[in-house]
Amino acid sequence: MSKDAEHIADEETPLMPDGRGTRRRGSVAEMTQQAQFSTLSYMCALTVVVFLVGILLGVKVEGWDAITAVYVLTQTVTTVGYGDVTPTHPAVQLYYSFLVLYTLATGTYVASSQLYKSLSKAHEDLLHSKLTRAAGDGSRDEQCTGGSAGVCKPVTPLGKLAVASIPAILVVIFGTVFYAVFESCTCSYGKTRVHGCIDTDYASCAASGGWVKSWPAAFYMSIITLTTVGYGDYSPRSQLGRAVAVLWMIFGVLAVGNWIKGISDFFAEIQDGSHEGPQSIDHHVFDLIDKSGDGSLSKSEYVNYVLIKYGMVTEDDLDMIESQYDEIDELQTGCVTLAQIERAEKKRKVAGDEA
């Protein structure tokens, strides 16, 4: 080996040797997940403090009771925004303005992180599904049902949509039944109380100007609430109704959001499945990958063959990767070190800055 080659090889310090004597640095995905978990932990702690301050201001400055303060905070952060009870003191209005911006910023961060993970997971599932069929196992996603034999049946796109729909349907049904029964008519309390209202029975309450919710109105309020439209023409008015709404809005908005995602996944999977045909040997791709032309593929060539065949990468992508590898492997030794990769990245960065 030449001195240059020895110098390059010596630049990489041995890291975490495994049982077979090879070097590995641990999973990049694991390190990324740990960093994200740490960031989310700090954000959760800060969010708890921000929410507690908002509740405290509602109780001490606005004069709300604890339930109303939590209720107003919840409809604010879920963007429902009924408008039945709102901050009136300038200091509280200023803080809730900050609260809205903070919620949008943190919500966007969490949503984008989850979207990235979902897209990555979907990409992995798609590749796994295709590789499974390529290996001769024609199975799709499966779920096992109970029973002594442990019968397994394929999970169809429609089945997945049904699973996502059940929680959304349940929270809508719960909201409709609860508010139609327990808030069929109420005089409310606090700042939203109807003066002169008599809530001894439904007839007296309705006749004296109480807040009335019919079954259609309760269903309408449930849909408007859980889709975060929040017109404000119908909203929880009783103390019990607002206490229940705190959890109902949180879990309901999440359930409906998951249902909307399920609809998107359903059509995406149907569209993907409609383009899948019989998986036969692709002679063109095989010849393309068989650089030596001897009619056989090495392990790395077979990996490239499968990636191109199932549309995970293109021929141009592989050509670009091979070209980058050749640039890094300056001595054409057939292997590269971490130091060589880092040096090549620095060169590309310098070239980019100069350009």
Side-chain angles (χ1 to χ4, degrees), residues 12 34-35 94 132 143 150 157 159 162 174 226 235 256 258 268 292 332:
E12 183 178 20
Q34 290 175 357
L94 183 62
T132 301
Q143 63 179 2
F174 172 83
L226 301 181
S235 61
V256 172
N258 184 62
S292 62
Q332 302 300 307

Side-chain angles (χ1 to χ4, degrees), residues 12-305:
E12 183 178 20
T13 303
L15 293 170
M16 298 174 62
D18 62 15
R20 295 170 295 179
T22 58
R23 294 181 182 133
R24 59 186 175 84
R25 285 182 171 271
S27 170
V28 175
E30 289 178 359
M31 291 187 289
T32 302
Q33 289 176 355
Q34 290 175 357
Q36 290 179 342
F37 177 78
S38 177
T39 302
L40 288 175
S41 298
Y42 287 121
M43 290 179 62
C44 288
L46 178 61
T47 300
V48 170
V49 173
V50 170
F51 285 2
L52 287 176
V53 172
I55 294 172
L56 186 63
L57 286 174
V59 173
K60 296 296 184 180
V61 180
E62 293 288 348
W64 302 328
D65 61 276
I67 292 178
T68 301
V70 176
Y71 166 74
V72 174
L73 178 76
T74 303
Q75 62 165 297
T76 300
V77 299
T78 57
T79 71
V80 172
Y82 288 128
D84 49 348
V85 182
T86 58
T88 56
H89 192 280
V92 182
Q93 289 176 338
L94 183 62
Y95 186 81
Y96 267 69
S97 299
F98 159 76
L99 180 66
V100 170
L101 295 177
Y102 173 82
T103 303
L104 290 175
T106 54
T108 300
Y109 172 80
V110 173
S112 61
S113 299
Q114 293 302 316
L115 178 61
Y116 174 79
K117 290 171 62 177
S118 298
L119 291 176
S120 299
K121 182 64 167 59
H123 188 272
E124 292 174 3
D125 290 344
L126 176 61
L127 177 58
H128 176 73
S129 176
K130 290 182 176 180
L131 292 180
T132 301
R133 290 196 292 277
D137 181 2
S139 63
R140 295 177 64 87
D141 294 335
E142 294 184 348
Q143 63 179 2
C144 291
T145 57
S148 58
V151 180
C152 290
K153 298 180 180 180
V155 180
T156 63
L158 185 60
K160 294 179 181 179
L161 177 60
V163 171
S165 300
I166 291 173
I169 293 172
L170 289 178
V171 292
V172 171
I173 291 176
F174 172 83
T176 302
V177 173
F178 179 85
Y179 289 102
V181 172
F182 291 96
E183 275 198 9
S184 56
C185 187
T186 178
C187 296
S188 192
Y189 70 102
K191 295 184 178 181
T192 58
R193 178 173 179 80
V194 179
H195 297 288
C197 177
I198 304 172
D199 56 1
T200 54
D201 55 66
Y202 177 83
S204 300
C205 177
S208 57
W211 301 100
V212 177
K213 286 187 183 71
S214 62
W215 282 87
F219 174 76
Y220 163 79
M221 188 192 81
S222 297
I223 297 297
I224 295 302
T225 299
L226 301 181
T227 55
T228 73
V229 173
Y231 287 132
D233 47 353
Y234 287 95
S235 61
R237 298 291 181 177
S238 65
Q239 195 166 26
L240 174 62
R242 287 175 178 171
V244 170
V246 170
L247 294 178
W248 177 62
M249 283 190 288
I250 294 173
F251 290 107
V253 168
L254 292 175
V256 172
N258 184 62
W259 172 68
I260 294 173
K261 177 181 177 296
I263 295 176
S264 176
D265 292 344
F266 170 76
F267 286 110
E269 193 166 348
I270 289 295
Q271 185 177 16
D272 174 70
S274 65
H275 288 84
E276 290 185 350
Q279 305 298 342
S280 59
I281 297 176
D282 193 318
H283 293 282
H284 171 72
V285 176
F286 187 96
D287 294 338
L288 180 69
I289 298 301
D290 183 16
K291 301 291 186 180
S292 62
D294 61 358
S296 64
L297 301 179
S298 66
K299 181 184 289 187
S300 60
E301 287 177 332
Y302 178 73
V303 171
N304 292 342
Y305 164 77

